[in-house]
Amino acid sequence: MAAKPVKQPSLAQLRAFAAVAEHLHFRDAAAAIGMSQPALSGAVSALEEALGVQLLERTTRRVLLSPAGSRLAVRAKAVLDAVGSLLEEAEAVRAPFTGVLRLGVIPTVAPYLLPTVLRLVHDRYPELDLQVHEEQTSSLLDGLAAGRLDVLLLAVPLGVPGVTELPLFDEDFVLVMPQDHWLGGRTDVPREALRELDLLLLDEGHCLRDQALDICREAGREEGAAVTTTAAGLSTLVQLVAGGLGVTLLPRTAVRVETGRDDSLATGYFADPAPSRRVALAIRSGAARQEEFEEFARALRGAMGALPVRPAR
């Protein structure tokens, strides 16, 4: 007897199954793709019927992928990625700098660079629907890989396969301290000074914390030297400094915003070559809109003139 022919699955069915395969939870999967839970369950059941295989093992407590489901989840994601690329390509060909651009940005860049980015988009790309998502680096990279985000604004290098970095600028780090600190106002602070200072840093997960620790190691600070970590953001960090709990490192773009409203703070600038970080746009390698994103990066470099940075070449 001939095998029952396989029906053509719909994109909605594949999208529902891929969401369940990722979250292993119907409610979370439904929320992730903006579908009601009954509709999502029905779409997955319809896909199972169309393909003639059981994709999920359902219990009262959890959802598991069947062996067939594990294999086909990879295929479903590949199909959805390909369709997404097709739509991106069509949109890019139809009219660059139109439609939606989902920009991810790290918290230690967002407050200081977004005014420049938003002004550029408003003035030069009025047809672009810019959507901004502020997240930490690891979450942004996950979003880029999954297609949830189109382009990232963050510190590099990342060293992540499949991600292309479009450098924007370099900026120095500045030492922020209480007004009466012995290093306050200096423009020739040696890196070695970091060896003995009471240093305040951001919480785990912020790339700026890792960069600051790298600078400290380069300065010869011992690995076991005490570092107080109590701040989730730069504003809180600066307030702790103002309260006399220690000193901290800020990227130069953040200095005016974070210290300008508090005259109890002082700054110190490092002797050349000052420790610095590079900020770039990151995109998926080979993205359909890569030429558009490269042009966007060039425009951003040109818009940085009022900022205390060195545009990348």
Side-chain angles (χ1 to χ4, degrees):
M1 183 176 179
K4 184 179 179 181
V6 175
K7 297 179 182 178
Q8 186 79 24
S10 71
L11 288 177
Q13 292 167 356
L14 292 175
R15 192 173 292 111
F17 170 55
V20 175
E22 178 182 354
H23 294 278
L24 295 178
H25 195 287
F26 276 95
R27 185 178 65 245
D28 293 347
I33 62 174
M35 180 182 284
S36 71
Q37 192 170 329
L40 179 122
S41 180
V44 174
S45 296
L47 180 62
E48 289 179 315
E49 182 179 351
L51 298 178
V53 296
Q54 181 180 349
L55 301 172
L56 304 176
E57 297 177 6
R58 302 166 177 83
T59 71
T60 56
R61 293 189 175 184
R62 59 192 306 191
V63 176
L64 297 174
L65 290 174
S66 69
S70 294
R71 292 177 58 185
L72 294 178
V74 177
R75 297 288 189 182
K77 185 178 184 305
V79 170
L80 293 171
D81 286 347
V83 171
S85 295
L86 173 68
L87 295 176
E88 285 185 7
E89 184 73 33
E91 184 176 7
V93 169
R94 185 171 61 250
F97 299 106
T98 62
V100 175
L101 178 64
R102 298 163 297 180
L103 172 68
V105 57
I106 56 175
T108 59
V109 164
Y112 322 113
L113 269 294
L114 278 180
T116 299
V117 174
L118 296 176
R119 188 162 50 249
L120 173 69
V121 171
H122 179 270
D123 293 344
R124 189 175 299 190
Y125 310 118
E127 300 301 317
L128 194 63
D129 179 10
L130 183 67
Q131 300 177 0
V132 178
H133 303 264
E134 184 184 54
E135 302 168 25
Q136 292 187 14
T137 299
S138 59
S139 176
L140 292 179
L141 288 171
D142 289 343
L144 186 69
R148 178 173 61 84
L149 298 171
D150 300 312
V151 61
L152 310 180
L153 180 57
L154 73 183
V156 296
L158 300 168
V160 177
V163 175
T164 296
E165 299 170 8
L166 307 174
L168 296 177
F169 63 83
D170 298 298
E171 65 174 325
D172 294 339
F173 283 100
V174 177
L175 196 62
V176 178
M177 64 209 85
Q179 185 66 46
D180 58 356
H181 196 279
W182 65 279
L183 288 173
R186 289 183 55 174
T187 58
D188 61 347
V189 176
R191 293 194 191 201
E192 292 74 18
L194 293 171
R195 295 176 183 174
E196 307 299 333
L197 295 175
D198 294 326
L199 193 64
L200 302 172
L201 297 178
L202 293 174
D203 291 333
E204 295 280 355
H206 289 274
C207 62
L208 186 59
R209 172 192 171 91
D210 298 330
Q211 291 161 351
L213 288 174
D214 287 341
I215 293 167
C216 291
R217 279 190 289 268
E218 292 171 4
R221 188 182 179 100
E222 294 182 7
E223 290 285 344
V227 173
T228 303
T229 307
T230 54
L234 292 184
S235 295
T236 303
L237 203 60
V238 169
Q239 290 306 308
L240 295 175
V241 173
L245 297 187
V247 304
T248 195
L249 291 168
L250 289 186
R252 192 161 180 178
T253 50
V255 171
R256 183 179 61 83
V257 173
E258 299 299 346
T259 68
R261 53 182 175 264
D262 194 332
D263 58 10
S264 67
L265 295 167
T267 55
Y269 293 85
F270 289 93
D272 289 335
S276 63
R277 72 172 179 176
R278 169 160 286 194
V279 173
L281 289 181
I283 63 174
R284 287 183 297 276
S285 299
R289 301 169 70 182
Q290 181 159 339
E291 289 187 8
E292 181 181 339
F293 296 153
E294 289 173 349
E295 171 58 30
F296 188 52
R298 285 192 291 270
L300 274 175
R301 288 187 207 107
M304 299 292 174
L307 297 174
V309 301
R310 298 182 297 278
R313 297 182 179 181

